[in-house]
């Protein structure tokens, strides 16, 4: 039974961190070398009621080719193969999508490599559809297709003594795609944005409240003390300033002799020598 239903309707984007578009080729006729393009950009429109109305477009950055060998990767980027400097992208655009059986589709389209565009048919299987922990509706697809690289101008090779060639002419294209429906991704972005705005608003409100808060207890006490000092009767202070130097001081209506004024600095009595120190001038 097909898992393709109305819930899948709409536009989907490839998740590059969970998708792989790669290839494999025979090396020296005895083993396989696998590679992939690390930069993948893909979109598709799904119409469950009419798969023929669905579309797929995939773009691969040629410079991102990765076969786990730097020297080989540089050779693939060169004019012997992809010529990444002149043709930076490999592009596939579908022209038709047909359901051949439950969850299996034949995607036909134009594949452009270098300056050559050829029509290819790629069988694709819908592996499943699930909600991920972030709430996104995610679909998985996989498929393979053999092509002749010479059809796209990739003709470089080295003959072997046994009659074979160093790099096989038949290449297997490999697709493992994880796609996310854009409506769900947009909803996640909107929720994240709304949450950020709420946090920012709360921080602003806290800042405003802090700015308009009443002074602390210490600040209030200082303010009250200053008010009390300003409100006190200045007669005593003025009288003290008005008295000439050496005149008797008056406290609570009684005169105080200048020598007994406790507010004046008192002489410090001479300290007696310590019994643990020698008397001045004594030599040991």
């Amino acid at each position: 039974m097909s898992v393709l239903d109305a819930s899948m309707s709409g536009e989907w984007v490839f998740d590059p961190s969970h998708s792989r578009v790669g290839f494999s080729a025979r090396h020296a006729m005895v083993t396989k070398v696998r590679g992939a393009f690390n930069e993948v950009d893909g979109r598709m429109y799904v119409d469950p009621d009419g798969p023929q109305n669905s579309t797929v477009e995939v773009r691969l950055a040629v410079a991102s080719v990765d076969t786990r060998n730097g020297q080989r990767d540089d050779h693939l980027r060169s004019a012997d193969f992809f010529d990444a400097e002149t043709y930076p992208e490999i592009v596939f655009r579908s022209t038709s999508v047909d359901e051949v059986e439950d969850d299996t589709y034949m995607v036909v389209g134009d594949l452009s490599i270098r300056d050559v565009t050829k029509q290819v048919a790629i069988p694709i299987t819908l592996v499943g559809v699930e909600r991920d922990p972030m709430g996104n509706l995610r679909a998985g697809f996989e498929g393979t297709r053999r092509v002749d690289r010479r059809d796209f101008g990739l003709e470089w090779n080295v003959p072997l003594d046994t009659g074979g060639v160093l790099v096989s002419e038949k290449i297997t294209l490999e697709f493992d795609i994880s796609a996310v429906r854009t409506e769900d991704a947009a909803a996640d972005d909107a929720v994240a944005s709304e949450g950020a705005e709420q946090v920012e608003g709360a921080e602003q409100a806290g800042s405003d409240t802090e700015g308009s808060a009443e002074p602390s207890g210490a600040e209030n006490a200082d303010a009250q003390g200053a008010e009390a000092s300003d409100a006190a009767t200045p007669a005593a202070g003025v009288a003290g300033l008005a008295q000439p130097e050496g005149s008797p001081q008056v406290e609570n209506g009684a005169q105080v002799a200048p020598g007994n004024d406790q507010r004046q600095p008192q002489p410090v009595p001479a300290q007696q020598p310590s019994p643990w120190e020698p008397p001045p001038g004594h030599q040991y």
Side-chain angles (χ1 to χ4, degrees):
M1 180 177 178
S2 175
V3 298
L4 185 65
D5 57 28
S7 67
M8 292 190 65
S9 178
E11 187 178 30
W12 297 67
V13 294
F14 289 12
D15 176 0
S17 61
H18 296 96
S19 298
R20 177 181 180 272
V21 177
F23 56 87
S24 64
R26 286 283 178 186
H27 177 261
M29 311 297 292
V30 296
T31 189
K32 285 184 178 179
V33 171
R34 287 183 167 84
F37 296 92
N38 292 331
E39 295 182 18
V40 179
D41 180 21
R43 292 179 175 272
M44 60 184 185
Y45 175 78
V46 176
D47 183 353
D49 297 327
Q52 68 277 6
N53 299 323
S54 300
T55 59
V56 180
E57 179 173 317
V58 182
R59 293 179 176 272
L60 311 175
V62 173
S64 71
V65 65
D66 183 2
T67 64
R68 300 184 304 151
N69 182 287
Q71 185 177 2
R72 182 168 56 219
D73 295 344
D74 288 340
H75 192 197
L76 290 172
R77 296 183 188 109
S78 74
D80 284 343
F81 286 96
F82 295 118
D83 195 0
E85 186 173 347
T86 307
Y87 308 102
E89 286 187 327
I90 294 174
V91 181
F92 174 82
R93 294 186 181 91
S94 68
T95 55
S96 66
V97 178
D98 295 316
E99 186 174 15
V100 294
E101 58 183 75
D102 283 351
D103 301 328
T104 301
Y105 305 87
M106 186 62 69
V107 181
V108 179
D110 296 327
L111 176 61
S112 298
I113 301 177
R114 292 171 58 113
D115 56 348
V116 178
T117 299
K118 296 283 186 179
Q119 188 177 79
V120 297
I122 305 172
I124 293 292
T125 299
L126 173 60
V127 178
V129 181
E130 295 288 346
R131 287 275 177 192
D132 66 19
M134 302 301 295
N136 299 317
L137 191 62
R138 187 179 292 269
F141 302 86
E142 63 183 21
T144 60
R145 178 67 181 183
R146 293 190 73 194
V147 297
D148 191 327
R149 62 185 177 90
R150 296 173 300 176
D151 292 342
F152 297 92
L154 309 179
E155 298 182 357
W156 183 93
N157 225 326
V158 175
L160 301 178
D161 293 340
T162 57
V165 290
L166 183 63
V167 182
S168 64
E169 295 162 350
K170 296 290 186 179
I171 306 296
T172 301
L173 305 179
E174 302 165 344
F175 304 91
D176 293 284
I177 305 300
S178 179
V180 177
R181 194 172 65 172
T182 56
E183 288 85 349
D184 297 278
D188 273 358
D189 291 342
V191 170
S193 176
E194 182 179 353
E197 290 176 356
Q198 290 176 349
V199 170
E200 183 178 355
E203 292 176 348
Q204 182 63 38
S207 176
D208 294 342
T209 302
E210 182 178 338
S212 60
E214 294 294 332
S216 63
E219 293 172 347
N220 195 33
D222 291 343
Q224 290 176 355
E227 291 175 358
S229 176
D230 292 342
T233 303
V238 173
L241 292 174
Q243 292 177 358
E245 185 177 355
S247 63
Q249 301 294 324
V250 178
E251 288 186 4
N252 299 325
Q255 291 186 354
V256 179
N260 295 330
D261 187 359
Q262 299 300 319
R263 292 172 299 179
Q264 299 296 325
Q266 300 298 318
V268 178
Q271 295 183 354
Q272 297 298 322
S274 170
W276 301 103
E277 296 180 1
H282 187 83
Q283 300 293 328
Y284 280 95

